Amino acid sequence: MASPSAKNVRTEDRGPTPLPPAKRKLADAMRRLLRTKDFNSITTAEISRTAEANEALIYRYFKDKRGLLHQVLYDYLLDFHMEIQGEIQAVPSALDKLRCLVRAHIRMYDSNRVFAKILLLEVRNFPAYFESSTYRLVKGYGKMVSRIIADGVQSGEIRDDIPVPRIRDLILGGIEHFCMAAVIFGHEISVALAADNLSDLLFKGFEKN
Amino acid sequence: MASPSAKNVRTEDRGPTPLPPAKRKLADAMRRLLRTKDFNSITTAEISRTAEANEALIYRYFKDKRGLLHQVLYDYLLDFHMEIQGEIQAVPSALDKLRCLVRAHIRMYDSNRVFAKILLLEVRNFPAYFESSTYRLVKGYGKMVSRIIADGVQSGEIRDDIPVPRIRDLILGGIEHFCMAAVIFGHEISVALAADNLSDLLFKGFEKN
DNA sequence: TCCCCCAGGTAAGTAATACTTACATACATT
DNA sequence: AATGTATGTAAGTATTACTTACCTGGGGGA
């Protein structure tokens, strides 16, 4: 399914519904395979073999091969959201929130290369992704960033002469490009340093003075 | 071929060697098809039909379907390079050069959506791209940006407490994210406004004061 | 003039692969 | 016990990227 089926997600009234074992195995297999191969060169036969599940189950539990990819990304994104929310919740000022978010975001990409690879390299070339509920989660994250920025503008911490979406684009674009090469070539990222540099640049600009 | 054959490029001693008609027709067809479809859902049959050329010619003139894509990108990149070089050559200061480059880059993406789509969405998910001579051109552009920044640091226009590659990443990442949504969803870009906003943000940062 | 060579062009075929269909089995609920 | 539903399986099929073997025409050396 393009949208992860609600049935396989915890519900508060009836308790957790256990996932079909094969569904989890398939998602795990996809994650494992993505560590060493790109999505396009992973075959359905390979996925089912790695998962030790029948190939047709891919199509029972997901719309298609890409649906499986979207599901994997969806799961990562839920974690990502929780993590980020938890980190910035207690932080009072908007600028500090953003500084914190930049670090957490980079750390997430660094410690979870498959997640970064899917989000940065593997989904965007597929138009239907942008109709998926997985993309809706990504958009939600963008809106959260925008809200923080808007709060900062309100409180006088952030310039009010540039539209909020532009500021958000620069932040997210900066994070992505900071991590892109490392993700593609498998280099390590010095998270603290990169985050400090990026936040500093974002806040103060690179013009001298 | 992974690397565009030198024979099909103008040489100063023997004059231009004409491209095989079918080779050009195939590249044109790929460009046309990319306006409305993503690379993965364009079939070789469709390409040859659109080009009015035999399907096997794809494999005579290019390594494979992706080789054709890379060639198309390569041609765009040559234009892109010329355009940018021409614009910033006469500009004296590093900051003005960068301001100019940002505008030219955004304008290029805006007026050439297929180019932007290939570069931002279609090639990065394919590992072999990063071994291609097409990617070498992209890297060359990055190095040019780095050189401008380094000059700016030298001349005291640009901060010297942040590594040049980080500054470059922010600039290029910012440009990409500024254009990404427009490229994906086919929205228009207000080039002058976007470029001014981005340059302003990059130079001065978004912190108030 | 003849021959050959080779680049440009073609038609038919092949292996691989994403996805489908029809069927079997376990199991919970009535 | 019966029945319906969710899980799992095996055997396809249609599509598609890519290959192979062949044809054609023209330029240049003998």
Coordinates of all heavy atoms in Angstrom, one line a residue, chain B residues 126-195:
Chain B
F126 N 22.3 6.6 -8.7 CA 23.0 5.6 -9.5 C 24.5 5.7 -9.2 O 25.2 6.6 -9.7 CB 22.7 5.8 -11.0 CG 23.3 4.7 -11.9 CD1 23.0 3.4 -11.7 CD2 24.2 5.1 -12.9 CE1 23.5 2.4 -12.5 CE2 24.8 4.1 -13.7 CZ 24.4 2.8 -13.5
P127 N 25.1 4.7 -8.4 CA 26.5 4.8 -8.0 C 27.5 5.1 -9.1 O 28.4 5.9 -8.9 CB 26.7 3.5 -7.3 CG 25.4 3.1 -6.8 CD 24.4 3.6 -7.8
A128 N 27.3 4.4 -10.3 CA 28.3 4.6 -11.3 C 28.3 6.0 -11.9 O 29.3 6.4 -12.5 CB 27.9 3.6 -12.5
Y129 N 27.3 6.8 -11.6 CA 27.3 8.2 -12.1 C 28.6 8.9 -11.5 O 29.2 9.7 -12.2 CB 26.0 8.9 -11.6 CG 26.1 10.4 -11.6 CD1 26.3 11.1 -12.7 CD2 26.1 11.1 -10.4 CE1 26.3 12.5 -12.7 CE2 26.2 12.5 -10.3 CZ 26.3 13.2 -11.5 OH 26.4 14.5 -11.4
F130 N 28.9 8.5 -10.3 CA 30.0 9.3 -9.6 C 31.4 8.9 -10.2 O 32.4 9.4 -9.8 CB 29.9 9.1 -8.1 CG 28.6 9.6 -7.6 CD1 27.6 8.8 -7.3 CD2 28.5 11.0 -7.4 CE1 26.4 9.3 -6.8 CE2 27.3 11.5 -6.9 CZ 26.2 10.6 -6.6
E131 N 31.4 7.9 -11.1 CA 32.7 7.6 -11.8 C 32.7 8.2 -13.2 O 33.7 8.1 -13.9 CB 32.8 6.0 -11.9 CG 32.4 5.2 -10.8 CD 33.3 5.4 -9.6 OE1 34.5 5.8 -9.8 OE2 32.8 5.3 -8.4
S132 N 31.6 8.8 -13.6 CA 31.4 9.2 -14.9 C 32.1 10.6 -15.2 O 32.4 11.3 -14.2 CB 30.0 9.3 -15.3 OG 29.4 10.5 -14.7
S133 N 32.4 10.8 -16.4 CA 33.0 12.1 -16.8 C 32.0 13.2 -16.6 O 32.3 14.4 -16.5 CB 33.5 12.1 -18.2 OG 32.5 11.8 -19.1
T134 N 30.7 12.9 -16.6 CA 29.7 13.9 -16.4 C 29.8 14.4 -15.0 O 29.8 15.6 -14.7 CB 28.3 13.2 -16.6 OG1 28.2 12.8 -18.0 CG2 27.2 14.3 -16.4
Y135 N 30.0 13.5 -14.0 CA 30.1 13.9 -12.7 C 31.4 14.7 -12.5 O 31.4 15.6 -11.7 CB 30.1 12.7 -11.7 CG 30.4 13.1 -10.3 CD1 29.5 13.8 -9.6 CD2 31.6 12.6 -9.6 CE1 29.7 14.2 -8.3 CE2 31.8 13.0 -8.3 CZ 30.9 13.7 -7.6 OH 31.1 14.1 -6.3
R136 N 32.4 14.4 -13.3 CA 33.7 15.2 -13.2 C 33.4 16.6 -13.5 O 34.0 17.5 -12.9 CB 34.7 14.6 -14.1 CG 36.1 14.6 -13.4 CD 37.1 13.7 -14.2 NE 36.6 12.4 -14.3 CZ 36.8 11.6 -15.4 NH1 37.3 12.1 -16.5 NH2 36.3 10.3 -15.4
L137 N 32.5 16.9 -14.4 CA 32.2 18.3 -14.8 C 31.5 18.9 -13.6 O 31.8 20.1 -13.3 CB 31.2 18.3 -15.9 CG 31.7 18.5 -17.3 CD1 30.6 18.8 -18.3 CD2 32.7 19.6 -17.4
V138 N 30.6 18.2 -12.9 CA 29.9 18.8 -11.8 C 30.9 19.1 -10.7 O 30.8 20.2 -10.1 CB 28.8 17.8 -11.2 CG1 28.3 18.3 -9.9 CG2 27.8 17.6 -12.3
K139 N 31.8 18.2 -10.5 CA 32.9 18.5 -9.4 C 33.7 19.7 -9.8 O 34.1 20.5 -8.9 CB 33.8 17.2 -9.3 CG 33.5 16.4 -8.1 CD 34.7 15.5 -7.7 CE 35.4 14.8 -8.8 NZ 36.2 13.6 -8.4
G140 N 33.9 19.8 -11.1 CA 34.7 21.0 -11.6 C 34.0 22.3 -11.2 O 34.6 23.3 -10.8
Y141 N 32.7 22.3 -11.4 CA 31.9 23.5 -11.0 C 32.0 23.7 -9.5 O 32.3 24.9 -9.1 CB 30.4 23.2 -11.3 CG 29.5 24.4 -10.9 CD1 29.6 25.6 -11.4 CD2 28.5 24.1 -9.9 CE1 28.8 26.6 -11.0 CE2 27.7 25.2 -9.5 CZ 27.8 26.4 -10.1 OH 27.0 27.4 -9.7
G142 N 31.9 22.7 -8.7 CA 32.1 22.9 -7.2 C 33.5 23.4 -6.9 O 33.6 24.3 -6.0
K143 N 34.5 23.0 -7.6 CA 35.8 23.5 -7.3 C 35.9 25.0 -7.7 O 36.6 25.8 -7.0 CB 36.9 22.7 -8.1 CG 37.3 21.4 -7.5 CD 38.4 20.7 -8.2 CE 38.6 19.3 -7.7 NZ 38.9 18.3 -8.7
M144 N 35.2 25.4 -8.8 CA 35.2 26.8 -9.1 C 34.6 27.6 -8.0 O 35.1 28.7 -7.7 CB 34.4 26.9 -10.4 CG 34.6 28.3 -11.1 SD 33.3 28.6 -12.3 CE 31.9 28.8 -11.3
V145 N 33.5 27.2 -7.5 CA 32.9 27.9 -6.4 C 33.8 28.0 -5.2 O 34.0 29.0 -4.6 CB 31.5 27.2 -6.0 CG1 30.9 27.9 -4.8 CG2 30.6 27.1 -7.1
S146 N 34.5 26.9 -4.9 CA 35.4 26.9 -3.8 C 36.5 27.9 -4.0 O 37.0 28.6 -3.1 CB 36.0 25.5 -3.6 OG 35.1 24.6 -3.1
R147 N 37.0 28.0 -5.3 CA 38.1 28.9 -5.6 C 37.6 30.4 -5.3 O 38.4 31.2 -4.8 CB 38.5 28.7 -7.0 CG 40.1 28.7 -7.2 CD 40.5 28.4 -8.6 NE 40.0 27.0 -9.0 CZ 39.3 26.8 -10.1 NH1 38.8 27.8 -10.8 NH2 38.9 25.6 -10.4
I148 N 36.4 30.7 -5.8 CA 35.9 32.0 -5.5 C 35.8 32.3 -4.0 O 36.2 33.4 -3.6 CB 34.5 32.2 -6.1 CG1 34.5 32.0 -7.7 CG2 33.9 33.5 -5.8 CD1 33.2 31.9 -8.3
I149 N 35.4 31.3 -3.3 CA 35.3 31.5 -1.8 C 36.6 31.8 -1.2 O 36.9 32.7 -0.4 CB 34.6 30.3 -1.2 CG1 33.1 30.2 -1.7 CG2 34.6 30.5 0.4 CD1 32.5 28.9 -1.3
A150 N 37.6 30.9 -1.7 CA 38.9 31.0 -1.1 C 39.5 32.4 -1.4 O 40.2 33.0 -0.6 CB 39.8 29.9 -1.7
D151 N 39.3 32.9 -2.7 CA 39.7 34.2 -3.0 C 39.1 35.3 -2.1 O 39.8 36.2 -1.7 CB 39.3 34.6 -4.5 CG 40.1 33.8 -5.5 OD1 41.2 33.2 -5.1 OD2 39.8 33.7 -6.6
G152 N 37.8 35.1 -1.8 CA 37.1 36.0 -0.9 C 37.7 36.0 0.5 O 37.8 37.0 1.2
V153 N 38.1 34.8 1.0 CA 38.7 34.7 2.3 C 40.1 35.5 2.2 O 40.4 36.3 3.1 CB 39.0 33.2 2.6 CG1 39.8 33.1 3.9 CG2 37.6 32.5 2.8
Q154 N 40.8 35.2 1.2 CA 42.1 35.9 1.0 C 42.0 37.4 1.0 O 42.8 38.1 1.7 CB 42.7 35.5 -0.4 CG 44.2 35.6 -0.5 CD 44.9 34.4 0.2 OE1 44.3 33.4 0.5 NE2 46.2 34.6 0.4
S155 N 41.0 37.9 0.3 CA 40.8 39.3 0.2 C 40.1 39.9 1.4 O 39.9 41.2 1.5 CB 40.0 39.7 -1.1 OG 38.7 39.3 -0.9
G156 N 39.8 39.1 2.4 CA 39.1 39.6 3.6 C 37.6 39.9 3.4 O 37.0 40.4 4.3
E157 N 37.0 39.5 2.3 CA 35.6 39.7 2.2 C 34.8 38.6 2.9 O 33.7 38.9 3.3 CB 35.2 39.6 0.7 CG 35.8 40.7 -0.2 CD 35.5 40.4 -1.7 OE1 34.4 40.8 -2.2 OE2 36.4 39.8 -2.3
I158 N 35.4 37.5 3.0 CA 34.7 36.3 3.6 C 35.4 35.8 4.8 O 36.6 35.8 4.9 CB 34.6 35.2 2.5 CG1 33.7 35.7 1.4 CG2 34.0 33.9 3.1 CD1 33.6 34.7 0.2
R159 N 34.6 35.4 5.8 CA 35.1 34.8 7.1 C 36.2 33.8 6.8 O 36.0 32.9 5.9 CB 34.0 34.2 7.9 CG 32.9 35.1 8.3 CD 31.7 34.4 8.9 NE 32.1 33.6 10.0 CZ 31.3 33.0 10.8 NH1 30.0 33.1 10.6 NH2 31.7 32.3 11.8
D160 N 37.2 33.8 7.7 CA 38.2 32.7 7.5 C 38.1 31.7 8.6 O 39.0 30.9 8.8 CB 39.6 33.4 7.5 CG 39.9 34.2 8.8 OD1 39.0 34.2 9.7 OD2 40.9 34.8 8.9
D161 N 37.1 31.7 9.5 CA 37.0 30.8 10.6 C 36.1 29.6 10.3 O 35.8 28.8 11.1 CB 36.5 31.5 11.8 CG 35.2 32.1 11.6 OD1 34.8 32.4 10.5 OD2 34.5 32.4 12.6
I162 N 35.6 29.5 9.0 CA 34.8 28.3 8.6 C 35.5 27.7 7.4 O 35.9 28.5 6.5 CB 33.4 28.8 8.3 CG1 32.7 29.5 9.4 CG2 32.6 27.6 7.8 CD1 32.0 28.6 10.4
P163 N 35.7 26.4 7.3 CA 36.3 25.8 6.2 C 35.6 26.1 4.9 O 34.3 26.1 4.9 CB 36.2 24.3 6.5 CG 36.0 24.2 7.9 CD 35.3 25.4 8.4
V164 N 36.3 26.4 3.8 CA 35.7 26.7 2.5 C 34.7 25.7 2.1 O 33.6 26.1 1.6 CB 36.8 26.9 1.5 CG1 36.2 27.1 0.1 CG2 37.7 28.2 1.8
P165 N 35.0 24.4 2.2 CA 34.0 23.4 1.7 C 32.7 23.5 2.3 O 31.6 23.3 1.7 CB 34.7 22.1 2.0 CG 36.1 22.3 2.1 CD 36.2 23.7 2.6
R166 N 32.7 23.9 3.6 CA 31.4 24.1 4.3 C 30.6 25.2 3.8 O 29.4 25.2 3.6 CB 31.6 24.3 5.8 CG 32.4 23.2 6.6 CD 31.5 21.9 6.8 NE 31.5 21.1 5.6 CZ 32.5 20.3 5.2 NH1 33.5 20.2 5.8 NH2 32.3 19.6 4.0
I167 N 31.3 26.3 3.5 CA 30.6 27.5 2.9 C 30.1 27.1 1.5 O 28.9 27.4 1.2 CB 31.6 28.7 2.8 CG1 32.1 29.1 4.2 CG2 31.0 29.8 2.0 CD1 33.1 30.2 4.1
R168 N 30.9 26.4 0.7 CA 30.4 26.0 -0.6 C 29.2 25.1 -0.5 O 28.2 25.2 -1.2 CB 31.5 25.2 -1.3 CG 31.2 24.8 -2.7 CD 32.0 23.6 -3.1 NE 31.8 22.5 -2.1 CZ 32.7 21.5 -1.9 NH1 33.8 21.5 -2.6 NH2 32.4 20.6 -1.0
D169 N 29.2 24.1 0.5 CA 28.0 23.2 0.6 C 26.8 24.0 0.9 O 25.7 23.7 0.4 CB 28.3 22.3 1.8 CG 29.3 21.2 1.4 OD1 29.5 21.0 0.2 OD2 29.8 20.5 2.3
L170 N 26.9 25.0 1.8 CA 25.7 25.8 2.2 C 25.2 26.6 0.9 O 24.0 26.6 0.7 CB 26.1 26.8 3.3 CG 24.8 27.6 3.8 CD1 23.8 26.6 4.4 CD2 25.3 28.6 4.8
I171 N 26.1 27.1 0.2 CA 25.6 27.9 -1.0 C 24.9 26.9 -2.0 O 23.8 27.2 -2.4 CB 26.8 28.5 -1.7 CG1 27.5 29.6 -0.9 CG2 26.4 29.1 -3.1 CD1 28.8 30.2 -1.4
L172 N 25.6 25.8 -2.3 CA 25.0 24.9 -3.3 C 23.7 24.2 -2.8 O 22.7 24.1 -3.5 CB 26.0 23.9 -3.8 CG 27.2 24.5 -4.5 CD1 28.2 23.4 -4.9 CD2 26.8 25.3 -5.7
G173 N 23.8 23.9 -1.5 CA 22.6 23.2 -0.9 C 21.4 24.2 -0.8 O 20.3 23.8 -1.1
G174 N 21.7 25.5 -0.5 CA 20.7 26.5 -0.5 C 20.0 26.6 -1.9 O 18.8 26.6 -2.0
I175 N 20.9 26.8 -2.9 CA 20.3 26.9 -4.3 C 19.4 25.7 -4.6 O 18.3 25.9 -5.1 CB 21.5 27.0 -5.3 CG1 22.3 28.3 -5.1 CG2 21.0 26.9 -6.7 CD1 23.6 28.3 -5.9
E176 N 19.9 24.5 -4.3 CA 19.2 23.3 -4.7 C 17.8 23.3 -4.0 O 16.8 23.0 -4.6 CB 20.0 22.1 -4.3 CG 21.1 21.8 -5.3 CD 21.6 20.4 -5.2 OE1 21.1 19.6 -4.5 OE2 22.6 20.1 -6.0
H177 N 17.8 23.6 -2.7 CA 16.6 23.5 -2.0 C 15.6 24.6 -2.3 O 14.4 24.4 -2.3 CB 16.8 23.5 -0.4 CG 16.3 22.2 0.2 ND1 16.9 21.0 0.0 CD2 15.3 22.0 1.1 CE1 16.3 20.1 0.7 NE2 15.3 20.7 1.3
F178 N 16.2 25.7 -2.7 CA 15.3 26.8 -3.2 C 14.6 26.4 -4.4 O 13.4 26.8 -4.6 CB 16.2 28.1 -3.5 CG 16.2 29.1 -2.4 CD1 16.7 28.8 -1.1 CD2 15.8 30.4 -2.6 CE1 16.7 29.7 -0.1 CE2 15.8 31.3 -1.6 CZ 16.3 31.0 -0.4
C179 N 15.2 25.6 -5.2 CA 14.6 25.3 -6.5 C 13.9 23.9 -6.5 O 13.1 23.6 -7.4 CB 15.7 25.2 -7.6 SG 16.6 26.8 -7.8
M180 N 14.2 23.1 -5.6 CA 13.8 21.7 -5.6 C 12.3 21.6 -5.7 O 11.8 20.9 -6.7 CB 14.2 21.0 -4.3 CG 13.8 19.6 -4.1 SD 15.0 18.5 -4.9 CE 16.4 18.6 -3.7
A181 N 11.5 22.2 -4.9 CA 10.0 22.1 -4.9 C 9.5 22.5 -6.3 O 8.7 21.9 -6.9 CB 9.4 22.8 -3.8
A182 N 10.0 23.7 -6.7 CA 9.6 24.2 -8.0 C 9.9 23.2 -9.2 O 9.0 23.0 -10.1 CB 10.2 25.5 -8.3
V183 N 11.0 22.6 -9.1 CA 11.4 21.6 -10.2 C 10.5 20.4 -10.1 O 10.0 19.9 -11.1 CB 12.9 21.2 -10.0 CG1 13.2 20.0 -10.9 CG2 13.8 22.4 -10.3
I184 N 10.3 19.9 -8.9 CA 9.4 18.7 -8.7 C 8.0 19.0 -9.1 O 7.4 18.2 -9.8 CB 9.5 18.2 -7.3 CG1 10.9 17.7 -7.0 CG2 8.5 17.2 -7.0 CD1 11.2 17.4 -5.5
F185 N 7.4 20.1 -8.6 CA 6.0 20.3 -8.9 C 5.7 21.2 -10.0 O 4.6 21.5 -10.3 CB 5.4 20.9 -7.6 CG 5.5 19.9 -6.4 CD1 6.3 20.2 -5.4 CD2 4.8 18.7 -6.4 CE1 6.4 19.3 -4.3 CE2 4.9 17.9 -5.3 CZ 5.7 18.2 -4.3
G186 N 6.8 21.6 -10.7 CA 6.6 22.4 -11.9 C 6.1 23.8 -11.6 O 5.5 24.5 -12.5
H187 N 6.4 24.4 -10.5 CA 6.1 25.8 -10.2 C 7.0 26.7 -10.8 O 8.2 26.3 -11.1 CB 6.1 26.0 -8.6 CG 5.1 25.2 -7.9 ND1 5.3 24.8 -6.6 CD2 4.0 24.6 -8.2 CE1 4.4 24.0 -6.2 NE2 3.5 23.9 -7.2
E188 N 6.6 27.9 -11.0 CA 7.5 28.9 -11.5 C 8.4 29.4 -10.4 O 8.1 29.3 -9.2 CB 6.7 30.1 -12.0 CG 6.1 29.8 -13.4 CD 5.5 31.1 -14.0 OE1 5.6 32.2 -13.4 OE2 4.8 31.0 -15.0
I189 N 9.6 30.0 -10.7 CA 10.5 30.5 -9.8 C 10.6 32.0 -10.1 O 10.8 32.4 -11.2 CB 11.9 29.9 -9.9 CG1 11.8 28.4 -9.5 CG2 12.9 30.5 -8.9 CD1 13.1 27.6 -9.7
S190 N 10.5 32.8 -9.0 CA 10.8 34.2 -9.2 C 12.3 34.4 -9.0 O 12.8 34.6 -7.9 CB 10.0 35.1 -8.2 OG 10.5 36.4 -8.2
V191 N 13.0 34.3 -10.1 CA 14.5 34.2 -10.1 C 15.2 35.3 -9.3 O 15.9 35.1 -8.4 CB 15.1 34.1 -11.5 CG1 16.6 34.1 -11.4 CG2 14.6 32.9 -12.2
A192 N 14.9 36.6 -9.7 CA 15.6 37.7 -9.1 C 15.3 37.8 -7.6 O 16.2 37.9 -6.8 CB 15.1 39.0 -9.7
L193 N 14.0 37.6 -7.2 CA 13.7 37.6 -5.8 C 14.3 36.5 -5.0 O 14.9 36.7 -4.0 CB 12.2 37.6 -5.7 CG 11.6 37.8 -4.3 CD1 12.0 39.1 -3.7 CD2 10.1 37.6 -4.3
A194 N 14.2 35.3 -5.5 CA 14.8 34.2 -4.8 C 16.3 34.3 -4.7 O 16.9 34.1 -3.6 CB 14.5 32.9 -5.6
A195 N 17.0 34.8 -5.8 CA 18.4 35.0 -5.7 C 18.8 36.0 -4.7 O 19.8 35.8 -3.9 CB 18.9 35.3 -7.1

